[in-house]
Amino acid sequence: MSSAAPAPRVIAVVGPTAAGKSDLGVFLARELGGEVVNADSMQLYRGMDIGTAKLTPEERAGVPHHLLDIWDVTQAASVAEYQRLARAEIDRLLAAGRWPVLVGGSGLYVRGAVDKMEFPGTDPDVRARLEAELAEHGSGTLHARLAAADPEAALAILPSNGRRIVRALEVIEITGKPFTANLPGHDSVYDTVQIGVDVERPELDERITTRVDRMWDAGLVDEVRALEAQGLREGLTASRALGYQQVLAALAGECTEEEARTETVRATKRFARRQDSWFRRDPRVHWLSGAVADRTELPARAMALVERPVTA
């Protein structure tokens, strides 16, 4: 970096799961004098460590990480609440002359943190009716309805995430517009540079398989069993997390552990494609290769992007 250090900007490191976002975020924070702000919706939950690939204290390399382990597994996630918390951290860091490095693959959370975005209210009657339909027919049926009404929203929301599907359908009914029509244009509230970590699909699929195997070896089943005792199964959001949902099914005798592992790999690969599609729609994301062949060059290329004196 030059002797005249640039004023801090917000950096968002985005992309699909297993692409290498967390390590790049730590590198950038160390180089710039910054701190990491989590933008992975499931890493907000206490105790969900192995299955969310949460960095260990050692892997954080002394870089402060914020918005990890703030919610109990019984708490339903709220993008509006996350927005409030994330902006408080970002504002605090900027005021202190530190670089906020937002890291995560939850697209709606990233946009909530950095973009001009307001959330529609709720209607208890509409919500209750939709939740009754969810209980009776299951999330798949409601997801199909969402896909017909708002294909982009259906792409961003997993078919198993009944709570978010209900919320999207509620907003559509209240506003008379697609859920994604309530998303803002690509208009940031901060001077932000977004870096997408790009990995070719065959390599990413291999990384996902390896990561799930490591999670199992590291004790994911025991982690889920412990969290089940804390109310994980009743958690509307946390119980649907990849890996956790599958292990809960195995613990309930609905499938074998090996079947749960296989389904976790399959579902994670599918989710990674959804993440990639979401971020590809944002023209502000600068994509850098995170492939093995290019990994040694990735940090330097990311730093070159950050040091450009333009808003990305």
Side-chain angles (χ1 to χ4, degrees):
M1 295 183 66
S2 63
S3 56
R9 311 164 69 189
V10 177
I11 305 168
V13 181
V14 302
T17 189
K21 300 183 296 297
S22 297
D23 290 340
L24 180 59
V26 168
F27 169 83
L28 290 171
R30 291 188 71 184
E31 288 292 305
L32 294 163
E35 302 182 13
V36 169
V37 179
N38 169 50
D40 180 315
S41 62
M42 295 304 165
Q43 290 193 9
L44 292 159
Y45 287 101
R46 276 187 291 275
M48 292 176 64
D49 302 330
I50 297 171
T52 66
K54 202 176 286 177
L55 292 185
T56 65
E58 293 74 25
E59 290 168 334
R60 296 173 202 174
V63 173
H65 281 59
H66 305 284
L67 302 189
L68 294 173
D69 308 315
I70 63 170
W71 290 340
D72 290 330
V73 292
T74 53
Q75 182 169 341
S78 163
V79 183
E81 173 65 5
Y82 171 80
Q83 179 187 63
R84 184 184 68 78
L85 296 169
R87 289 189 179 179
E89 292 292 348
I90 291 170
D91 292 344
R92 179 184 63 78
L93 290 168
L94 290 174
R98 306 281 286 170
W99 291 67
V101 183
L102 198 66
V103 180
S106 300
L108 200 57
Y109 283 63
V110 173
R111 295 208 64 189
V114 302
D115 284 348
K116 292 179 180 175
M117 188 171 182
E118 296 181 3
F119 296 93
T122 186
D123 183 316
D125 292 336
V126 173
R127 173 69 64 90
R129 174 165 45 78
L130 289 168
E131 287 179 344
E133 291 181 39
L134 174 67
E136 182 178 354
H137 302 295
S139 60
T141 299
L142 266 66
H143 191 268
R145 188 192 306 173
L146 179 62
D150 188 346
E152 188 173 351
L155 182 68
I157 300 172
L158 286 172
S160 61
N161 195 332
R163 193 191 64 81
R164 284 192 63 196
I165 295 167
V166 164
R167 174 58 178 156
L169 289 171
E170 178 192 23
V171 169
I172 290 170
E173 188 163 337
I174 291 171
T175 65
K177 298 185 293 185
F179 178 68
T180 46
N182 292 280
L183 294 178
H186 297 116
D187 192 6
S188 298
V189 296
Y190 299 104
D191 181 11
T192 306
V193 57
Q194 297 197 44
I195 300 170
V197 185
D198 185 23
V199 179
E200 291 294 326
R201 190 157 291 173
E203 183 180 335
L204 188 65
D205 283 351
E206 187 176 324
R207 286 194 203 179
I208 288 169
T209 301
T210 301
R211 173 181 277 194
V212 171
D213 287 342
R214 285 176 180 163
M215 287 174 177
W216 243 261
D217 294 342
L220 177 61
V221 174
D222 287 337
E223 178 173 278
V224 175
R225 188 178 285 114
L227 289 170
E228 184 182 19
Q230 298 172 28
L232 174 63
R233 198 175 288 278
E234 289 71 48
L236 293 176
T237 306
S239 67
R240 314 308 293 177
L242 292 168
Y244 296 85
Q245 177 182 355
Q246 287 76 19
V247 173
L248 283 172
L251 293 177
E254 298 167 11
C255 63
T256 66
E257 267 193 38
E258 191 54 42
E259 287 169 339
R261 185 197 300 226
T262 300
E263 175 56 22
T264 299
V265 171
R266 189 183 69 82
T268 304
K269 289 178 180 178
R270 191 169 62 238
F271 179 58
R273 286 158 175 69
R274 288 174 176 273
Q275 290 175 296
D276 191 67
S277 295
W278 172 278
F279 289 115
R280 295 281 175 188
R281 286 178 160 80
D282 193 331
R284 300 167 298 177
V285 177
H286 299 274
W287 289 95
L288 301 178
S289 175
V292 170
D294 305 298
R295 204 175 293 168
T296 56
E297 300 174 13
L298 178 61
R301 292 176 64 204
M303 282 295 295
L305 268 179
V306 169
E307 291 173 330
R308 288 181 187 170
V310 294
T311 300

